[in-house]
Amino acid sequence: MKKVWITLLVTVLVFSAIGMAKTKITYFGDNDPNSAEAILTRLFNSSQDEIEVEFLLQSWSTDDKHTALVTRFGAKDPNPTVYLGDVIWPAEFAAAGWALDLTPYFPKSEQDKFLPGTIKSATYLGKIYAIPSFTDGGLLYYRTDLLEKYGYKPPTTWEELKTIAATIAKKEGIDGFVFQGAQYEGLVCDAVEFIAANGGEVIDGNGNVKVNSPEVIQALEFMRELITSGAAPDKVFTFMEEDARMAFQQGNAVFMRNWPYCHSPSNMAGDQSAVKGKYGMIPMPKGPKGSGGAATLGGWMLFVNPFASKAEQAAGVQFAKFITSESAQIIRNLVAGNAPTRIAVYSNPTVLRANAIVETLYPIMINAVPRPVTPFYAQVSNALQEEFHAVLTGKKTAADAVKALERKIKEIYEQSVHYVFSGP
């Protein structure tokens, strides 16, 4: 009888243990064990007893993260179950079969709670492959003291920007408008803003190449005109984000196009800044053919690995929803200052008390536009960088550059599609 009871007890314990077993998944976040990503992962693990997430430390480098994931998914590795990815990855990863289709878990009613640009970036061929976690967008910084001194209001159009920048620059002996003009990804971001602000686009939502248009030509011509008119200095050909920030922060520029990070206490809002308390932030101005200014979308999203088991995928979706929830985005903003992707967070009283800039950022982020959504973004970006820089430096006309781009992008599509379906 005793043996029977022992057998029954063991059986009960075994089944209890089975019932208590957690689904274990992995998460590729960042390389800081005390980051917002790590904190939110620990909160998720302590909030329930069904799923256990292992936080995997990664490189800060976006390129390194991309390479690591491509290598793993090329081998159909089930890990990581969930990964943090750049906004320019969804189309590439979806086309390659490296991102789970999240459409069944992310209905239109939920999508509408997010900034439109972030949803557009997460969408490929009408399906959602990532959930937006935090965002970024380009904006125009301006010297409030100098505009007031010369009787100007902040510019809302290209012509106003050019005129005010050139006029004050000449009178003050400083640069007018500094931006990212070097031949790299930052130039693509800046150009996309000018193009979108003039009603143009490089590639439309259906994958059609639209770069050879009057709107795009006019936008590129204006970027060149900023330099030839004296509104922007020649040295902007070599400027990246930090070059522009330092010029503006040291009091050597009237206007600057850059990202929200420049406003941090360690940068322009700090005690070592020559412009502390002397600058403001507004959306980029609009072009003649546009309805409003535009901001190029930056930021990161949560993806789920399609090579994970069904149970792991389900757990991964639950974790991704938690990380991108309204509560999580409030925590993320308070901890790291990241701009939310959920619209409601921009009016949250707690967030506004702790980080008033969020209210300033909302009109910029709500109009943020993605870079060209394409599975061949890396190749397309290289072509854009080359041709945009040729226009900026006066080596090509805008009309010739967009013709070259139209040809190059179509060739990229043709070659890439042949490679994908036919092999090398």
Side-chain angles (χ1 to χ4, degrees):
M1 186 69 178
K2 183 178 180 182
K3 185 176 181 181
V4 172
W5 278 109
I6 292 175
T7 302
L8 287 173
L9 181 59
V10 170
T11 302
V12 169
L13 289 173
V14 168
F15 276 97
S16 296
I18 292 174
M20 292 169 60
K22 293 184 178 182
T23 300
K24 295 185 177 182
I25 62 175
T26 52
Y27 176 46
F28 266 28
D30 53 39
N31 76 337
D32 185 353
N34 297 310
S35 67
E37 298 299 324
I39 291 171
L40 288 171
T41 300
R42 291 197 290 270
L43 284 174
F44 176 79
N45 283 337
S46 64
S47 70
Q48 44 74 48
D49 56 10
E50 297 177 350
I51 302 169
E52 182 179 339
V53 183
E54 180 184 1
F55 184 77
L56 304 177
L57 296 177
Q58 297 304 302
S59 167
W60 273 115
S61 167
T62 300
D63 289 343
D64 288 348
K65 288 179 181 179
H66 183 273
T67 299
L69 289 168
V70 168
T71 301
R72 284 175 174 266
F73 296 152
K76 298 186 177 181
D77 192 331
N79 288 300
T81 318
V82 181
Y83 57 98
L84 189 67
D86 198 337
V87 293
I88 60 176
W89 292 0
E92 175 193 356
F93 280 48
W98 299 335
L100 184 69
D101 177 8
L102 299 178
T103 310
Y105 315 100
F106 200 47
K108 182 68 163 55
S109 58
E110 186 66 13
Q111 295 176 35
D112 289 343
K113 297 176 183 178
F114 289 75
L115 298 169
T118 66
I119 295 299
K120 187 175 180 180
S121 281
T123 303
Y124 178 64
L125 299 181
K127 296 182 178 181
I128 296 287
Y129 287 92
I131 305 178
S133 184
F134 59 95
T135 192
D136 209 352
L139 63 156
L140 184 68
Y141 291 84
Y142 67 97
R143 289 284 298 277
T144 54
D145 58 334
L146 293 181
L147 264 64
E148 182 179 351
K149 177 179 178 179
Y150 292 102
Y152 290 113
K153 293 182 179 179
T156 59
T157 67
W158 288 356
E159 283 302 313
E160 289 174 354
L161 172 63
K162 183 180 70 174
T163 299
I164 298 172
T167 301
I168 297 181
K170 185 176 181 179
K171 291 182 177 180
E172 291 287 322
I174 60 176
D175 295 331
F177 174 49
V178 292
F179 58 97
Q180 293 71 56
Q183 188 173 322
Y184 79 120
E185 184 64 22
L187 174 57
V188 176
C189 293
D190 288 33
V192 164
E193 286 171 354
F194 281 109
I195 290 169
N198 202 42
E201 54 188 341
V202 176
I203 300 172
D204 69 15
N206 296 316
N208 299 310
V209 181
K210 297 289 187 178
V211 71
N212 189 0
S213 72
E215 291 81 7
V216 176
I217 292 172
Q218 188 175 28
L220 297 180
E221 286 176 340
F222 177 73
M223 292 182 72
R224 172 60 183 167
E225 191 177 332
L226 283 167
I227 296 168
T228 58
S229 68
D234 287 349
K235 60 189 175 185
V236 82
F237 297 152
T238 64
F239 271 27
M240 295 187 182
E241 281 87 352
E242 284 297 274
D243 302 302
R245 178 182 70 80
M246 289 305 297
F248 189 84
Q249 185 170 320
Q250 292 170 356
N252 296 325
V254 184
F255 295 101
M256 173 183 68
R257 182 274 173 204
N258 222 315
W259 307 96
Y261 86 92
C262 293
H263 175 67
S264 72
S266 61
N267 291 320
M268 297 185 322
D271 291 335
Q272 302 304 312
S273 171
V275 296
K276 181 181 180 181
K278 300 177 182 178
Y279 66 91
M281 296 165 288
I282 55 173
M284 291 293 291
K286 67 177 182 177
K289 299 180 185 296
S291 57
T296 294
L297 186 73
W300 291 75
M301 304 182 166
L302 270 291
F303 298 73
V304 178
N305 186 348
F307 303 119
S309 69
K310 293 297 182 183
E312 291 167 343
Q313 288 180 16
V317 169
Q318 187 174 332
F319 174 65
K321 285 184 174 182
F322 175 88
I323 289 287
T324 59
S325 67
E326 184 173 340
S327 296
Q329 292 199 20
I330 291 172
I331 293 171
R332 180 187 293 286
N333 180 266
L334 298 177
V335 171
N338 295 136
T341 56
R342 285 183 175 270
I343 295 172
V345 182
Y346 283 89
S347 58
N348 181 275
T350 301
V351 170
L352 292 176
R353 280 196 298 270
N355 197 358
I357 189 179
V358 168
E359 192 169 19
T360 301
L361 293 178
Y362 179 72
I364 296 167
M365 300 305 177
I366 195 68
N367 292 313
V369 294
R371 280 160 279 179
V373 178
T374 168
F376 317 117
Y377 183 80
Q379 301 97 305
V380 170
S381 177
N382 286 336
L384 295 175
Q385 292 172 33
E386 182 180 357
E387 296 299 330
F388 289 164
H389 197 255
V391 174
L392 205 60
T393 56
K395 295 178 181 177
K396 273 191 176 182
T397 66
D400 287 342
V402 297
K403 288 178 183 177
L405 276 173
E406 183 178 41
R407 173 181 54 78
K408 288 181 179 182
I409 295 173
K410 288 181 177 180
E411 286 176 356
I412 289 169
Y413 270 70
E414 291 170 1
Q415 293 170 2
S416 299
V417 170
H418 174 75
Y419 179 86
V420 170
F421 292 104
S422 303

